[in-house]
Amino acid sequence: MRVKAILLRITFYLILFNMTLFVSAAGEKAADDVSTYNELGQIVFSVSSSATENSRNLNILCNNDEPKTIVIPAGSTVTLRNAIVIGSNTTILADGATIVMTQSGKRIIYNRTDVASYQGTTNVTIKGGTWKTAGDYWGESLIRLAYGSHFLLDGMTVIGNYGGHDVELIAMQDVTVQNCTLTCSGRTSKNSVEEALQIDVAAPRTAPHLDAPYGEGLTCENISILNNTIQGSRGVCANFAGQDGEKYKNKFHRNITVIGNTMIGMSAEGCVLYNTINPVVKNNTIITYSKRKKLSYSTALNISIIGKAPKKLIKNATVVVENNECKGVKHGMQIVSLTKSKYKKATVLKNTFSALDKKRAYTISKAAVNSAVDKGNKSKKR
């Protein structure tokens, strides 16, 4: 009996081993079917005429955490029916390619959000390509990245809709968006405040549809926005969780750097940084075309403290606004606080601010800063 039991156990493990080999071989075959390799060892994607097949095959390549570089061939048009779910350690090179989401209301790229941590998805680079929607894409994010770190978006053209976001960053750390064009198709509503690039807080109503529990409301840290052209209902916004109660309203982003961009808001601000510790805004052109003259939405650059900041964060926090051209309606720029929280210092140097009323071209509220260096700035009537 004992010998028979041993033989049965050996047979079981042999069957299990063979099944494992079969599954592994099937996976390799699937990868081979959707790609080839170039002389650099990069995976060259095989483009299909089927949007369904392209979606499935790109997910086979991207939705894992193995180190990989995927090349979408220049000159190709890749239609998608479903979004690409991107894993860690992924590089996508798409220079000269066009990637089109054919379905209304669907993202084109997002990552898994089952871990509420900056380490959820890490080490991702996407370079080049025109990424756009062919459907009525109202009220969604074309590219949504959340709970991750060490991301680079470089040289991409992203075309979304004025009612949603081209790129949304939720609870992200160490992200650079550079040399990109983020723009929108269609027309904006005069009351729309949806930004082409949103920097967001992980909160239930502000950023719904994340898989992991929201916990303490993770914010964004070390975000660099460099040398882009960005146009939306708003251009760029570091958001606050206004609909999620005081707990989330008092969460602050850290170290957002905005340098060398053209940012345009068609119905709201060109750039707004809410609840941000140590923002740096340099060498940008910032414009709003909003017609809401009595509201902050018609301010080109709006830096506002909305919540109550932790004392350890705010006591040494600074604001730097230098060498920008800000064309506003109500203000070219404002630095204000709606609470008792204040920045330690604001440095505002060599900017040109314009508004309908020259006297209101810019304002640095004493309620928002303990001290200010205000030199070399020009005020103009728009």
Side-chain angles (χ1 to χ4, degrees):
M1 292 294 293
R2 181 175 298 178
V3 173
K4 186 177 180 180
I6 292 172
L7 289 172
L8 286 172
R9 184 173 297 179
I10 290 171
T11 302
F12 169 78
Y13 282 118
L14 284 171
I15 292 171
L16 183 63
F17 177 71
N18 288 328
M19 288 178 64
T20 302
L21 289 177
F22 175 80
V23 171
S24 178
E28 290 174 3
K29 184 177 186 301
D32 290 341
D33 285 345
V34 302
S35 63
T36 59
Y37 291 87
N38 62 19
E39 65 277 8
L40 299 176
Q42 299 168 330
I43 302 168
V44 181
F45 179 65
S46 298
V47 181
S48 169
S49 59
S50 166
T52 300
E53 287 187 11
N54 287 328
S55 300
R56 180 196 65 202
N57 295 342
L58 277 170
N59 274 290
I60 289 172
L61 296 176
C62 293
N63 192 5
N64 63 79
D65 295 333
E66 296 300 317
K68 55 203 170 290
T69 297
I70 300 159
V71 179
I72 300 178
S76 64
T77 297
V78 180
T79 55
L80 299 176
R81 184 175 180 81
N82 297 298
I84 303 166
V85 183
I86 197 165
S88 296
N89 306 312
T90 301
T91 295
I92 297 177
L93 304 180
D95 287 315
T98 301
I99 301 90
V100 183
M101 171 52 68
T102 62
Q103 304 298 303
S104 295
K106 286 190 177 182
R107 302 183 181 95
I108 202 164
I109 293 177
Y110 67 97
N111 65 303
R112 298 187 302 273
T113 59
D114 50 352
V115 179
S117 164
Y118 295 132
Q119 303 307 311
T121 304
T122 62
N123 302 319
V124 172
T125 295
I126 305 174
K127 288 189 175 184
T130 297
W131 305 75
K132 65 181 183 177
T133 176
D136 179 12
Y137 205 93
W138 195 259
E140 261 291 1
S141 298
L142 198 57
I143 297 175
R144 190 205 70 182
L145 306 171
Y147 293 148
S149 63
H150 301 288
F151 274 62
L152 171 64
L153 306 184
D154 186 9
M156 302 172 69
T157 297
V158 184
I159 306 172
N161 188 285
Y162 283 107
H165 313 305
D166 288 355
V167 176
E168 182 178 15
L169 307 176
I170 307 168
M172 295 288 289
Q173 184 184 68
D174 298 318
V175 176
T176 298
V177 180
Q178 65 183 24
N179 307 318
C180 293
T181 298
L182 310 183
T183 188
C184 300
S185 61
R187 300 174 66 180
T188 184
S189 162
K190 66 179 181 179
N191 295 321
S192 177
V193 296
E194 301 301 333
E195 42 276 334
L197 174 56
Q198 185 182 61
I199 301 165
D200 216 346
V201 183
R205 297 187 66 182
T206 302
H209 311 306
L210 302 183
D211 297 319
Y214 287 90
E216 295 303 313
L218 208 59
T219 59
C220 287
E221 297 183 356
N222 307 332
I223 309 296
S224 297
I225 312 300
L226 310 174
N227 304 316
N228 305 283
T229 298
I230 301 173
Q231 177 177 313
S233 296
R234 267 181 176 143
V236 173
C237 176
N239 202 16
F240 73 100
Q243 299 179 346
D244 289 280
E246 293 299 312
K247 170 185 172 180
Y248 292 103
K249 186 178 178 181
N250 295 331
K251 299 298 178 180
F252 278 67
H253 306 289
R254 305 187 201 184
N255 305 329
I256 296 176
T257 300
V258 184
I259 298 177
N261 305 279
T262 296
M263 296 172 287
I264 299 171
M266 299 304 294
S267 54
E269 300 98 330
C271 178
V272 52
L273 302 176
Y274 292 123
N275 284 6
T276 301
I277 302 296
N278 299 325
V280 174
V281 184
K282 291 184 178 181
N283 305 328
N284 302 284
T285 298
I286 309 173
I287 303 170
T288 179
Y289 292 106
S290 172
K291 299 184 184 302
R292 289 179 280 181
K293 301 176 183 178
K294 296 182 180 181
L295 300 173
S296 62
Y297 298 129
S298 64
T299 298
L301 173 60
N302 178 9
I303 300 175
S304 295
I305 297 174
I306 303 296
K308 183 178 179 181
K311 290 182 179 180
K312 289 182 179 180
L313 291 181
I314 200 69
K315 68 177 183 179
N316 293 315
T318 62
V319 180
V320 176
V321 178
E322 186 174 331
N323 199 35
N324 302 283
E325 183 174 8
C326 300
K327 297 181 180 181
V329 177
K330 181 180 181 182
H331 301 295
M333 182 204 71
Q334 68 173 16
I335 302 174
V336 297
S337 176
L338 303 185
T339 70
K340 293 182 179 181
S341 295
K342 291 185 178 185
Y343 293 108
K344 180 180 180 180
K345 183 180 180 180
T347 300
V348 182
L349 300 174
K350 299 180 181 179
N351 302 279
T352 300
F353 300 117
S354 60
L356 293 183
D357 182 350
K358 179 181 176 180
K359 294 180 181 180
R360 301 181 67 183
Y362 72 104
T363 182
I364 306 169
S365 171
K366 292 181 179 179
V369 300
N370 286 316
S371 66
V373 177
D374 179 0
K375 294 182 179 180
N377 299 297
K378 297 179 180 179
S379 296
K380 294 184 176 183
K381 177 179 174 60
R382 184 174 177 182

